[in-house]
Amino acid sequence: MSLSAGPFGIDHLLSDAREQLERLTPQQAFAAQRDGGLIVDIRPQSDRLADGEIPGALTVERLVLEWRLDPGGPHRLAGLRTDLPVILVCNEGYASSLAAAQAQDLGLTRATDLDGGFRAWKSAGLPVHHPP
């Protein structure tokens, strides 16, 4: 994140966050997941129920995300490693950019997000699971 003094508006924070990231297209995210990368869906449960989920993605509500993504923390996701690609997904790719930059700050150097979010994934025709 920016080292200069704030306060900053959200557009500035989002721009700073995205400067740290190599954002992935839906096809790149799909390939990264296939190759062992971890997709983390941070959308609210209501969105996941209404629109579906990415098969194999872990769901972590945004409220507790930093605790679950801290590789040295006691509440981290099982199997989380600093060398593992972690792709954050929100609905449209805004909140996930901020979250991915924070994940990098926590030590997940390969964290990034899905450009366009879940909507882009679904529009690309990639697999979507609809929970019962």
Side-chain angles (χ1 to χ4, degrees):
M1 295 278 172
S2 176
L3 297 178
S4 57
F8 299 113
I10 188 61
D11 291 336
H12 181 91
L13 293 177
L14 186 61
S15 177
D16 273 4
R18 287 182 173 169
E19 284 180 14
Q20 292 180 230
L21 307 174
E22 291 185 30
R23 303 181 78 210
L24 301 183
T25 67
Q27 293 80 6
Q28 290 171 319
F30 183 69
Q33 183 188 40
R34 183 189 60 228
D35 294 340
L38 180 65
I39 293 181
V40 179
D41 189 340
I42 64 171
R43 295 176 300 139
Q45 181 181 17
S46 59
D47 287 355
R48 295 191 314 268
L49 290 173
D51 299 326
E53 299 175 338
I54 297 172
L58 296 177
T59 57
V60 178
E61 294 280 338
R62 182 68 182 96
L63 179 66
V64 296
L65 187 64
E66 287 80 9
W67 286 267
R68 304 291 281 147
L69 293 183
D70 179 355
H75 303 290
R76 71 183 170 276
L77 293 170
L80 188 65
R81 300 185 325 263
T82 57
D83 64 329
L84 184 70
V86 177
I87 303 109
L88 285 290
V89 177
C90 67
N91 200 38
E92 295 179 341
Y94 295 98
S96 59
S97 291
L98 297 171
Q102 284 193 312
Q104 285 187 0
D105 291 344
L106 287 169
L108 298 175
T109 58
R110 298 186 64 195
T112 190
D113 77 326
L114 175 59
D115 191 358
F118 180 80
R119 288 186 181 184
W121 177 281
K122 195 171 183 177
S123 292
L126 293 171
V128 173
H129 167 74
H130 291 277

